[in-house]
Amino acid sequence: MNDNQTAKKRIVFCDFDGTITENDNIIAIIRHFNPEGWEEIANKTIRQELSVREGVGRLFRMLPSSLQQEVVSFGIGNAKIRAGFKEFLAYCRENEIEFLVTSGGIDFFVYPILEPFGIPHEHIYCNGGDFSGERIEITWPNPCDGSCDNDCGMCKTTIIRRFPAERYERILIGDSVTDFEGAKLADRVYSRSHLTVKCQELGLPHHEYETFFDIIGDFEHKRL
Ligand code: MG
Ligand code: ZN
């Protein structure tokens, strides 16, 4: 009787760095503390010559744990939320769209920056930061499952696969290298920056966005 009862449930997998925030926080932190040779590792990671796990792990290992306070406060203080994010969260709630943060970022800045938005903790996936040794060590509580050999670190496709395509319309929002594999699997992709270029290279359908208002507009458009 009602199409909505048989329709697939929509679920959003939303990147954090450079997506919910305007800049990539990992790059901003490393650039700020400027350890020698970081650019080459960052560029190799974006070019996929290093896996994200390897690249991000090596970047943070360049910083001593004694910088913990400075790194954490810079990471939190430097972030700016992209326009329309709060409104998009409200839109998802009103329309019963599931919303997950799937982030290649690190817990010590992801959770504090998202704190004001009331997203349940179990809906936020990210990596961990360990300051107990001499150098900052990134931990990886969400590794690739047996179906992914991309060495993601925080594996978006592993999480996406938990929501089967028969029951869910899987929507990915992202901007860069941590989103490339997920974009291949998602039913709908919202992209900016490196992710747009990648989608063009791969011939993947995608919608470009600049703010979350653009995404709300497209969701509304699809309803008509
Ligand atoms: Mg990103
Ligand atoms: Zn993976």
Side-chain angles (χ1 to χ4, degrees):
M1 188 175 118
N2 182 342
D3 267 358
N4 285 331
Q5 289 178 351
T6 53
K8 291 180 184 180
K9 185 162 178 60
R10 287 174 291 178
I11 182 164
V12 171
F13 302 92
C14 188
D15 176 52
F16 182 79
D17 278 77
T19 299
I20 295 174
T21 60
E22 289 197 355
N23 296 311
D24 190 299
N25 300 286
I26 293 179
I27 296 294
I29 290 169
I30 302 296
R31 177 179 287 130
H32 179 77
F33 293 95
N34 199 22
E36 203 184 319
W38 73 269
E39 286 104 331
E40 198 196 340
I41 300 203
N43 290 332
K44 278 187 172 171
T45 308
I46 289 168
R47 290 199 304 262
Q48 295 178 288
E49 292 163 28
L50 287 176
S51 73
V52 174
R53 193 183 61 83
E54 175 84 40
V56 172
R58 277 168 67 173
L59 285 172
F60 277 97
R61 220 171 280 132
M62 292 174 143
L63 302 176
S65 294
S66 57
L67 283 176
Q68 177 170 8
Q69 279 205 339
E70 288 98 316
V71 168
V72 170
S73 56
F74 181 83
I76 297 168
N78 184 60
K80 228 181 120 197
I81 300 291
R82 186 171 300 279
F85 179 60
K86 182 169 62 104
E87 290 81 358
F88 181 63
L89 286 177
Y91 182 87
C92 287
R93 274 194 291 270
E94 282 157 23
N95 292 278
E96 293 177 25
I97 300 163
E98 281 195 52
F99 180 89
L100 303 182
V101 177
T102 45
S103 167
I106 323 298
D107 56 359
F108 64 77
F109 62 80
V110 172
Y111 288 114
I113 293 169
L114 289 177
E115 228 273 318
F117 297 98
I119 304 165
H121 257 226
E122 65 273 21
H123 290 182
I124 301 172
Y125 297 85
C126 63
N127 300 310
D130 177 358
F131 297 87
S132 65
E134 196 184 315
R135 301 194 154 264
I136 302 175
E137 199 57 49
I138 303 304
T139 61
W140 315 96
N142 304 285
C144 301
D145 65 14
S147 301
C148 183
D149 58 6
N150 191 53
D151 197 24
C152 300
M154 207 309 286
C155 186
K156 300 196 189 197
T157 65
T158 295
I159 293 162
I160 294 172
R161 268 187 291 277
R162 293 177 191 159
F163 300 88
E166 306 81 64
R167 292 192 359 240
Y168 290 90
E169 182 181 5
R170 307 180 298 184
I171 300 158
L172 181 129
I173 306 174
D175 74 305
S176 190
V177 63
T178 66
D179 303 298
F180 291 172
E181 292 306 305
K184 297 177 190 167
L185 195 60
D187 301 301
R188 214 200 293 176
V189 175
Y190 292 94
S191 71
R192 49 180 300 282
S193 187
H194 300 292
L195 180 59
T196 298
V197 175
K198 193 65 174 183
C199 287
Q200 286 164 346
E201 272 173 31
L202 296 174
L204 291 175
H206 57 286
H207 307 268
E208 290 185 48
Y209 69 93
E210 202 42 55
T211 72
F212 283 94
F213 292 117
D214 301 336
I215 300 174
I216 295 172
D218 193 67
F219 271 63
E220 278 294 288
H221 178 74
K222 287 196 162 44
R223 262 158 47 131
L224 302 175

